[in-house]
Amino acid sequence: MTARSATPARIAVLVSGSGSNLQALLDRIAHEPGFGGEVVVVGADRDDALGLTRAREAGIPTVVQRLRDHPDREAWEQALRHDVAEQRPDVVVLAGFMKILSATFLDGWPGRVINTHPSLLPAFRGAHAVREALEHGVKLTGSTVHLVDELVDHGPIIAQRAVEVRPDDDEERLHERIKTVEHDLFPTCVGLLCRGQLRVDGRTVTVLPAPEPSAAPPLTDQE
Ligand code: GAR
């Protein structure tokens, strides 16, 4: 995990779509002194991801690697890892990144890749979690934030929050309510990772107390 230090952790964010979770993270960082992290690069697997526009508007460097521009997934993951690593991130945040990453990418940041998923895992893994929850007729679904391992939507769970399914829900309406929850839960969990407040024992994640504020005296303007 990221060391507890006064230096903010460097965060890379990967997106594929609208990037509302990226925006929620940027807003949280802007409004929470002591968040403990800063976004240093946003990457995408498609050049039309709205998340890239959000990043550029925030003055954050962006990188794009499209799978179809590479001979195979291995080459694509290597290229993505290379581009992301150039900005020396401490943690990697998957914020609606809709491609599966293997060890080729994940080995760059062991235990330091975090994902948000729109269901109560382990139910409804994969790319259509909201649709499948509706089709299954569940009355309760929600948001899960977890550390990423090599299996899809599988790594140790950091936090979950439930969202009720309403009789008149369609996929879009339900997903919007889940996103409202994600926009709070996901930045909170990214902050915990950045501040080194997560201890992982097998599948169990424990949230550690917040680090003590620095004992260093405040700077004065006389020196
Ligand atoms: C989010 O709901 C996220 O949980 C989901 O994609 C959405 C992205 O929204 N991710 C997955 O389904 C990954 N399996 P956003 O682009 O507006 O942040």
Short mmCIF file of all heavy atoms in Angstrom, two decimals, residues 45-97:
data_model
loop_
_atom_site.label_atom_id
_atom_site.label_comp_id
_atom_site.label_asym_id
_atom_site.label_seq_id
_atom_site.Cartn_x
_atom_site.Cartn_y
_atom_site.Cartn_z
N ASP A 45 -9.35 3.63 -23.21
CA ASP A 45 -9.19 2.64 -24.28
C ASP A 45 -9.94 3.08 -25.53
O ASP A 45 -10.05 2.32 -26.48
CB ASP A 45 -9.71 1.27 -23.82
CG ASP A 45 -11.17 1.32 -23.43
OD1 ASP A 45 -11.60 2.35 -22.87
OD2 ASP A 45 -11.88 0.35 -23.71
N ARG A 46 -10.51 4.29 -25.49
CA ARG A 46 -11.19 4.84 -26.67
C ARG A 46 -11.04 6.34 -26.68
O ARG A 46 -11.05 6.98 -25.61
CB ARG A 46 -12.66 4.43 -26.68
CG ARG A 46 -13.35 4.50 -25.35
CD ARG A 46 -14.69 3.83 -25.37
NE ARG A 46 -15.54 4.45 -26.37
CZ ARG A 46 -16.68 3.93 -26.81
NH1 ARG A 46 -17.09 2.77 -26.35
NH2 ARG A 46 -17.40 4.55 -27.71
N ASP A 47 -10.90 6.91 -27.88
CA ASP A 47 -10.57 8.34 -27.90
C ASP A 47 -11.80 9.23 -27.77
O ASP A 47 -11.66 10.44 -27.66
CB ASP A 47 -9.74 8.70 -29.14
CG ASP A 47 -10.28 8.10 -30.40
OD1 ASP A 47 -11.49 7.78 -30.43
OD2 ASP A 47 -9.51 7.92 -31.35
N ASP A 48 -13.02 8.62 -27.78
CA ASP A 48 -14.22 9.45 -27.64
C ASP A 48 -14.80 9.40 -26.22
O ASP A 48 -15.93 9.84 -25.99
CB ASP A 48 -15.29 9.03 -28.65
CG ASP A 48 -15.72 7.58 -28.45
OD1 ASP A 48 -15.08 6.87 -27.65
OD2 ASP A 48 -16.70 7.16 -29.10
N ALA A 49 -14.04 8.88 -25.27
CA ALA A 49 -14.56 8.81 -23.89
C ALA A 49 -14.69 10.23 -23.33
O ALA A 49 -13.73 11.00 -23.34
CB ALA A 49 -13.61 7.98 -23.01
N LEU A 50 -15.89 10.55 -22.85
CA LEU A 50 -16.13 11.88 -22.29
C LEU A 50 -15.22 12.16 -21.10
O LEU A 50 -14.85 13.30 -20.82
CB LEU A 50 -17.61 12.01 -21.89
CG LEU A 50 -18.06 13.32 -21.27
CD1 LEU A 50 -17.78 14.50 -22.18
CD2 LEU A 50 -19.55 13.25 -20.92
N GLY A 51 -14.81 11.09 -20.43
CA GLY A 51 -13.89 11.25 -19.31
C GLY A 51 -12.60 11.95 -19.72
O GLY A 51 -11.99 12.67 -18.91
N LEU A 52 -12.16 11.76 -20.96
CA LEU A 52 -10.94 12.42 -21.44
C LEU A 52 -11.16 13.94 -21.50
O LEU A 52 -10.26 14.71 -21.16
CB LEU A 52 -10.57 11.89 -22.83
CG LEU A 52 -10.06 10.45 -22.89
CD1 LEU A 52 -9.95 9.99 -24.35
CD2 LEU A 52 -8.71 10.30 -22.18
N THR A 53 -12.35 14.33 -21.93
CA THR A 53 -12.65 15.77 -21.99
C THR A 53 -12.65 16.37 -20.59
O THR A 53 -12.10 17.46 -20.37
CB THR A 53 -14.05 15.97 -22.63
OG1 THR A 53 -14.08 15.24 -23.84
CG2 THR A 53 -14.33 17.43 -22.89
N ARG A 54 -13.23 15.64 -19.64
CA ARG A 54 -13.23 16.13 -18.24
C ARG A 54 -11.79 16.32 -17.77
O ARG A 54 -11.46 17.29 -17.09
CB ARG A 54 -13.94 15.14 -17.33
CG ARG A 54 -15.42 14.96 -17.60
CD ARG A 54 -15.96 13.97 -16.58
NE ARG A 54 -17.25 13.43 -16.88
CZ ARG A 54 -18.41 13.94 -16.43
NH1 ARG A 54 -18.41 15.03 -15.73
NH2 ARG A 54 -19.55 13.33 -16.71
N ALA A 55 -10.92 15.34 -18.10
CA ALA A 55 -9.53 15.42 -17.66
C ALA A 55 -8.85 16.63 -18.28
O ALA A 55 -8.16 17.40 -17.58
CB ALA A 55 -8.80 14.13 -18.05
N ARG A 56 -9.04 16.81 -19.58
CA ARG A 56 -8.38 17.94 -20.26
C ARG A 56 -8.85 19.26 -19.67
O ARG A 56 -8.05 20.19 -19.48
CB ARG A 56 -8.65 17.86 -21.76
CG ARG A 56 -7.89 16.70 -22.41
CD ARG A 56 -8.13 16.59 -23.90
NE ARG A 56 -7.62 15.31 -24.38
CZ ARG A 56 -8.34 14.40 -25.05
NH1 ARG A 56 -9.60 14.65 -25.36
NH2 ARG A 56 -7.80 13.26 -25.43
N GLU A 57 -10.16 19.34 -19.37
CA GLU A 57 -10.68 20.58 -18.78
C GLU A 57 -10.06 20.85 -17.41
O GLU A 57 -9.94 21.99 -16.99
CB GLU A 57 -12.21 20.51 -18.66
CG GLU A 57 -12.87 20.83 -19.99
CD GLU A 57 -14.37 20.53 -20.01
OE1 GLU A 57 -14.90 20.14 -18.97
OE2 GLU A 57 -14.96 20.70 -21.09
N ALA A 58 -9.65 19.77 -16.74
CA ALA A 58 -9.02 19.93 -15.43
C ALA A 58 -7.50 20.07 -15.56
O ALA A 58 -6.79 20.11 -14.55
CB ALA A 58 -9.37 18.73 -14.55
N GLY A 59 -7.00 20.10 -16.80
CA GLY A 59 -5.56 20.28 -17.02
C GLY A 59 -4.73 19.05 -16.70
O GLY A 59 -3.54 19.14 -16.41
N ILE A 60 -5.36 17.87 -16.79
CA ILE A 60 -4.66 16.62 -16.47
C ILE A 60 -4.22 15.95 -17.76
O ILE A 60 -5.02 15.84 -18.70
CB ILE A 60 -5.60 15.69 -15.66
CG1 ILE A 60 -5.98 16.36 -14.34
CG2 ILE A 60 -4.96 14.33 -15.42
CD1 ILE A 60 -7.18 15.73 -13.66
N PRO A 61 -2.97 15.48 -17.83
CA PRO A 61 -2.51 14.79 -19.04
C PRO A 61 -3.36 13.54 -19.33
O PRO A 61 -3.82 12.88 -18.39
CB PRO A 61 -1.07 14.38 -18.71
CG PRO A 61 -0.68 15.15 -17.51
CD PRO A 61 -1.93 15.57 -16.80
N THR A 62 -3.56 13.24 -20.59
CA THR A 62 -4.35 12.06 -20.97
C THR A 62 -3.54 11.15 -21.89
O THR A 62 -2.64 11.61 -22.60
CB THR A 62 -5.64 12.46 -21.71
OG1 THR A 62 -5.28 13.19 -22.89
CG2 THR A 62 -6.55 13.30 -20.84
N VAL A 63 -3.87 9.87 -21.85
CA VAL A 63 -3.28 8.90 -22.77
C VAL A 63 -4.41 8.00 -23.29
O VAL A 63 -5.36 7.72 -22.56
CB VAL A 63 -2.18 8.03 -22.11
CG1 VAL A 63 -1.03 8.89 -21.63
CG2 VAL A 63 -2.71 7.21 -20.95
N VAL A 64 -4.29 7.59 -24.54
CA VAL A 64 -5.29 6.69 -25.13
C VAL A 64 -4.56 5.54 -25.80
O VAL A 64 -3.61 5.75 -26.56
CB VAL A 64 -6.17 7.42 -26.18
CG1 VAL A 64 -7.17 6.44 -26.80
CG2 VAL A 64 -6.89 8.60 -25.56
N GLN A 65 -4.98 4.33 -25.46
CA GLN A 65 -4.49 3.15 -26.17
C GLN A 65 -5.70 2.31 -26.55
O GLN A 65 -6.41 1.81 -25.68
CB GLN A 65 -3.51 2.33 -25.31
CG GLN A 65 -2.16 2.95 -25.11
CD GLN A 65 -1.32 3.00 -26.39
OE1 GLN A 65 -1.65 2.38 -27.40
NE2 GLN A 65 -0.23 3.76 -26.34
N ARG A 66 -5.95 2.19 -27.86
CA ARG A 66 -7.10 1.40 -28.32
C ARG A 66 -6.64 -0.02 -28.62
O ARG A 66 -5.62 -0.22 -29.31
CB ARG A 66 -7.71 2.04 -29.57
CG ARG A 66 -8.17 3.47 -29.34
CD ARG A 66 -8.86 4.04 -30.53
NE ARG A 66 -8.08 3.85 -31.77
CZ ARG A 66 -8.53 4.16 -32.98
NH1 ARG A 66 -9.75 4.64 -33.13
NH2 ARG A 66 -7.77 3.96 -34.03
N LEU A 67 -7.41 -0.97 -28.14
CA LEU A 67 -7.06 -2.38 -28.34
C LEU A 67 -6.87 -2.68 -29.82
O LEU A 67 -5.94 -3.39 -30.22
CB LEU A 67 -8.17 -3.25 -27.74
CG LEU A 67 -8.03 -4.76 -27.83
CD1 LEU A 67 -6.73 -5.25 -27.23
CD2 LEU A 67 -9.21 -5.44 -27.11
N ARG A 68 -7.73 -2.10 -30.64
CA ARG A 68 -7.68 -2.44 -32.07
C ARG A 68 -6.42 -1.93 -32.78
O ARG A 68 -6.14 -2.33 -33.91
CB ARG A 68 -8.94 -1.93 -32.77
CG ARG A 68 -8.98 -0.44 -32.95
CD ARG A 68 -10.15 -0.07 -33.84
NE ARG A 68 -11.18 0.59 -33.06
CZ ARG A 68 -11.76 1.74 -33.43
NH1 ARG A 68 -11.49 2.29 -34.59
NH2 ARG A 68 -12.64 2.31 -32.66
N ASP A 69 -5.66 -1.06 -32.15
CA ASP A 69 -4.43 -0.56 -32.76
C ASP A 69 -3.23 -1.45 -32.45
O ASP A 69 -2.10 -1.11 -32.79
CB ASP A 69 -4.13 0.86 -32.27
CG ASP A 69 -5.18 1.84 -32.74
OD1 ASP A 69 -5.80 1.58 -33.79
OD2 ASP A 69 -5.38 2.86 -32.05
N HIS A 70 -3.47 -2.59 -31.76
CA HIS A 70 -2.39 -3.47 -31.34
C HIS A 70 -2.63 -4.89 -31.86
O HIS A 70 -3.79 -5.28 -32.05
CB HIS A 70 -2.26 -3.47 -29.81
CG HIS A 70 -1.92 -2.11 -29.28
ND1 HIS A 70 -0.63 -1.66 -29.17
CD2 HIS A 70 -2.72 -1.10 -28.87
CE1 HIS A 70 -0.63 -0.43 -28.69
NE2 HIS A 70 -1.89 -0.06 -28.51
N PRO A 71 -1.56 -5.66 -32.05
CA PRO A 71 -1.74 -7.01 -32.60
C PRO A 71 -2.51 -7.94 -31.66
O PRO A 71 -3.21 -8.83 -32.13
CB PRO A 71 -0.31 -7.52 -32.83
CG PRO A 71 0.60 -6.59 -32.08
CD PRO A 71 -0.14 -5.30 -31.94
N ASP A 72 -2.39 -7.73 -30.35
CA ASP A 72 -3.11 -8.59 -29.40
C ASP A 72 -3.25 -7.85 -28.06
O ASP A 72 -2.71 -6.76 -27.87
CB ASP A 72 -2.38 -9.94 -29.21
CG ASP A 72 -0.92 -9.75 -28.87
OD1 ASP A 72 -0.59 -8.76 -28.16
OD2 ASP A 72 -0.08 -10.57 -29.30
N ARG A 73 -3.96 -8.48 -27.11
CA ARG A 73 -4.22 -7.83 -25.82
C ARG A 73 -2.94 -7.58 -25.06
O ARG A 73 -2.79 -6.57 -24.37
CB ARG A 73 -5.15 -8.70 -24.95
CG ARG A 73 -6.54 -8.79 -25.45
CD ARG A 73 -7.43 -9.43 -24.41
NE ARG A 73 -7.88 -8.47 -23.42
CZ ARG A 73 -9.03 -7.80 -23.48
NH1 ARG A 73 -9.84 -7.99 -24.48
NH2 ARG A 73 -9.37 -6.96 -22.54
N GLU A 74 -2.00 -8.53 -25.15
CA GLU A 74 -0.72 -8.40 -24.44
C GLU A 74 -0.02 -7.10 -24.86
O GLU A 74 0.43 -6.32 -24.01
CB GLU A 74 0.13 -9.64 -24.80
CG GLU A 74 1.55 -9.63 -24.30
CD GLU A 74 1.67 -10.06 -22.84
OE1 GLU A 74 0.68 -10.58 -22.30
OE2 GLU A 74 2.75 -9.82 -22.27
N ALA A 75 0.06 -6.88 -26.16
CA ALA A 75 0.73 -5.67 -26.67
C ALA A 75 -0.03 -4.41 -26.23
O ALA A 75 0.57 -3.39 -25.87
CB ALA A 75 0.83 -5.74 -28.19
N TRP A 76 -1.37 -4.50 -26.26
CA TRP A 76 -2.19 -3.35 -25.84
C TRP A 76 -1.95 -3.03 -24.36
O TRP A 76 -1.73 -1.86 -23.98
CB TRP A 76 -3.67 -3.66 -26.09
CG TRP A 76 -4.59 -2.68 -25.43
CD1 TRP A 76 -4.80 -1.38 -25.79
CD2 TRP A 76 -5.42 -2.94 -24.29
NE1 TRP A 76 -5.72 -0.81 -24.93
CE2 TRP A 76 -6.11 -1.73 -24.01
CE3 TRP A 76 -5.65 -4.06 -23.50
CZ2 TRP A 76 -7.01 -1.62 -22.95
CZ3 TRP A 76 -6.55 -3.94 -22.44
CH2 TRP A 76 -7.21 -2.74 -22.18
N GLU A 77 -1.95 -4.05 -23.51
CA GLU A 77 -1.74 -3.82 -22.07
C GLU A 77 -0.35 -3.27 -21.80
O GLU A 77 -0.16 -2.42 -20.92
CB GLU A 77 -1.96 -5.11 -21.28
CG GLU A 77 -3.42 -5.45 -21.10
CD GLU A 77 -3.62 -6.55 -20.07
OE1 GLU A 77 -3.25 -6.37 -18.90
OE2 GLU A 77 -4.17 -7.60 -20.45
N GLN A 78 0.63 -3.80 -22.53
CA GLN A 78 2.00 -3.29 -22.34
C GLN A 78 2.07 -1.81 -22.69
O GLN A 78 2.68 -1.00 -21.98
CB GLN A 78 2.98 -4.07 -23.22
CG GLN A 78 3.46 -5.35 -22.58
CD GLN A 78 4.26 -6.21 -23.53
OE1 GLN A 78 4.51 -5.84 -24.67
NE2 GLN A 78 4.66 -7.38 -23.06
N ALA A 79 1.41 -1.43 -23.80
CA ALA A 79 1.44 -0.03 -24.24
C ALA A 79 0.73 0.87 -23.23
O ALA A 79 1.22 1.95 -22.88
CB ALA A 79 0.80 0.09 -25.62
N LEU A 80 -0.42 0.39 -22.73
CA LEU A 80 -1.18 1.17 -21.74
C LEU A 80 -0.35 1.33 -20.46
O LEU A 80 -0.24 2.42 -19.89
CB LEU A 80 -2.51 0.48 -21.45
CG LEU A 80 -3.48 1.23 -20.54
CD1 LEU A 80 -3.92 2.55 -21.16
CD2 LEU A 80 -4.70 0.35 -20.22
N ARG A 81 0.25 0.23 -20.03
CA ARG A 81 1.08 0.28 -18.80
C ARG A 81 2.23 1.26 -18.98
O ARG A 81 2.53 2.05 -18.07
CB ARG A 81 1.60 -1.13 -18.49
CG ARG A 81 2.54 -1.15 -17.30
CD ARG A 81 2.88 -2.56 -16.90
NE ARG A 81 4.00 -2.57 -15.98
CZ ARG A 81 4.43 -3.64 -15.33
NH1 ARG A 81 3.82 -4.80 -15.48
NH2 ARG A 81 5.47 -3.57 -14.50
N HIS A 82 2.85 1.21 -20.13
CA HIS A 82 3.99 2.10 -20.40
C HIS A 82 3.56 3.56 -20.31
O HIS A 82 4.19 4.38 -19.64
CB HIS A 82 4.57 1.79 -21.79
CG HIS A 82 5.62 2.78 -22.21
ND1 HIS A 82 5.30 3.91 -22.94
CD2 HIS A 82 6.94 2.82 -21.99
CE1 HIS A 82 6.41 4.62 -23.14
NE2 HIS A 82 7.42 3.98 -22.57
N ASP A 83 2.43 3.89 -20.96
CA ASP A 83 1.98 5.28 -20.98
C ASP A 83 1.59 5.77 -19.59
O ASP A 83 1.88 6.89 -19.19
CB ASP A 83 0.76 5.42 -21.90
CG ASP A 83 1.16 5.40 -23.36
OD1 ASP A 83 2.37 5.30 -23.65
OD2 ASP A 83 0.25 5.49 -24.21
N VAL A 84 0.90 4.90 -18.85
CA VAL A 84 0.46 5.28 -17.50
C VAL A 84 1.69 5.43 -16.60
O VAL A 84 1.82 6.40 -15.84
CB VAL A 84 -0.53 4.23 -16.95
CG1 VAL A 84 -0.77 4.43 -15.46
CG2 VAL A 84 -1.85 4.29 -17.72
N ALA A 85 2.61 4.48 -16.70
CA ALA A 85 3.80 4.46 -15.81
C ALA A 85 4.66 5.70 -16.01
O ALA A 85 5.37 6.12 -15.08
CB ALA A 85 4.61 3.20 -16.04
N GLU A 86 4.59 6.29 -17.20
CA GLU A 86 5.40 7.50 -17.44
C GLU A 86 5.09 8.61 -16.46
O GLU A 86 5.93 9.46 -16.19
CB GLU A 86 5.16 7.98 -18.88
CG GLU A 86 6.05 7.25 -19.86
CD GLU A 86 6.20 8.01 -21.17
OE1 GLU A 86 5.25 8.72 -21.56
OE2 GLU A 86 7.25 7.89 -21.79
N GLN A 87 3.85 8.62 -15.93
CA GLN A 87 3.47 9.66 -14.96
C GLN A 87 3.72 9.21 -13.53
O GLN A 87 3.26 9.85 -12.58
CB GLN A 87 2.01 10.06 -15.15
CG GLN A 87 1.69 10.62 -16.52
CD GLN A 87 2.41 11.93 -16.81
OE1 GLN A 87 2.76 12.65 -15.89
NE2 GLN A 87 2.63 12.22 -18.07
N ARG A 88 4.37 8.08 -13.32
CA ARG A 88 4.78 7.54 -12.01
C ARG A 88 3.64 7.51 -10.98
O ARG A 88 3.79 8.00 -9.86
CB ARG A 88 5.97 8.36 -11.47
CG ARG A 88 7.21 8.23 -12.32
CD ARG A 88 8.32 9.14 -11.86
NE ARG A 88 8.03 10.54 -12.17
CZ ARG A 88 7.65 11.45 -11.28
NH1 ARG A 88 7.56 11.17 -10.01
NH2 ARG A 88 7.39 12.68 -11.66
N PRO A 89 2.49 6.93 -11.33
CA PRO A 89 1.42 6.86 -10.33
C PRO A 89 1.74 5.87 -9.22
O PRO A 89 2.41 4.85 -9.46
CB PRO A 89 0.19 6.40 -11.13
CG PRO A 89 0.75 5.68 -12.29
CD PRO A 89 2.09 6.32 -12.60
N ASP A 90 1.22 6.16 -8.03
CA ASP A 90 1.31 5.22 -6.91
C ASP A 90 0.12 4.26 -6.92
O ASP A 90 0.23 3.13 -6.46
CB ASP A 90 1.31 5.99 -5.58
CG ASP A 90 2.47 6.95 -5.48
OD1 ASP A 90 3.62 6.47 -5.55
OD2 ASP A 90 2.24 8.16 -5.35
N VAL A 91 -1.04 4.77 -7.35
CA VAL A 91 -2.24 3.94 -7.40
C VAL A 91 -2.91 4.13 -8.75
O VAL A 91 -2.75 5.17 -9.41
CB VAL A 91 -3.24 4.28 -6.27
CG1 VAL A 91 -2.57 4.21 -4.91
CG2 VAL A 91 -3.88 5.62 -6.47
N VAL A 92 -3.65 3.09 -9.16
CA VAL A 92 -4.41 3.16 -10.41
C VAL A 92 -5.88 2.92 -10.09
O VAL A 92 -6.23 1.98 -9.39
CB VAL A 92 -3.92 2.11 -11.44
CG1 VAL A 92 -4.76 2.17 -12.70
CG2 VAL A 92 -2.45 2.34 -11.78
N VAL A 93 -6.72 3.80 -10.62
CA VAL A 93 -8.14 3.81 -10.30
C VAL A 93 -8.93 3.48 -11.58
O VAL A 93 -8.79 4.17 -12.58
CB VAL A 93 -8.49 5.24 -9.80
CG1 VAL A 93 -9.98 5.45 -9.77
CG2 VAL A 93 -7.88 5.50 -8.44
N LEU A 94 -9.72 2.41 -11.52
CA LEU A 94 -10.56 2.06 -12.67
C LEU A 94 -11.93 2.68 -12.43
O LEU A 94 -12.68 2.25 -11.55
CB LEU A 94 -10.67 0.54 -12.83
CG LEU A 94 -9.34 -0.23 -12.86
CD1 LEU A 94 -9.59 -1.71 -13.15
CD2 LEU A 94 -8.38 0.35 -13.90
N ALA A 95 -12.25 3.71 -13.21
CA ALA A 95 -13.49 4.47 -13.01
C ALA A 95 -14.36 4.27 -14.26
O ALA A 95 -14.42 5.14 -15.12
CB ALA A 95 -13.16 5.94 -12.77
N GLY A 96 -14.99 3.11 -14.32
CA GLY A 96 -15.77 2.80 -15.52
C GLY A 96 -14.88 2.39 -16.67
O GLY A 96 -15.18 2.70 -17.83
N PHE A 97 -13.80 1.70 -16.37
CA PHE A 97 -12.91 1.19 -17.43
C PHE A 97 -13.43 -0.20 -17.81
O PHE A 97 -13.49 -1.10 -16.96
CB PHE A 97 -11.47 1.12 -16.92
CG PHE A 97 -10.48 0.80 -18.00
CD1 PHE A 97 -10.25 1.70 -19.04
CD2 PHE A 97 -9.76 -0.39 -17.99
CE1 PHE A 97 -9.33 1.43 -20.04
CE2 PHE A 97 -8.84 -0.67 -18.99
CZ PHE A 97 -8.63 0.24 -20.00
#
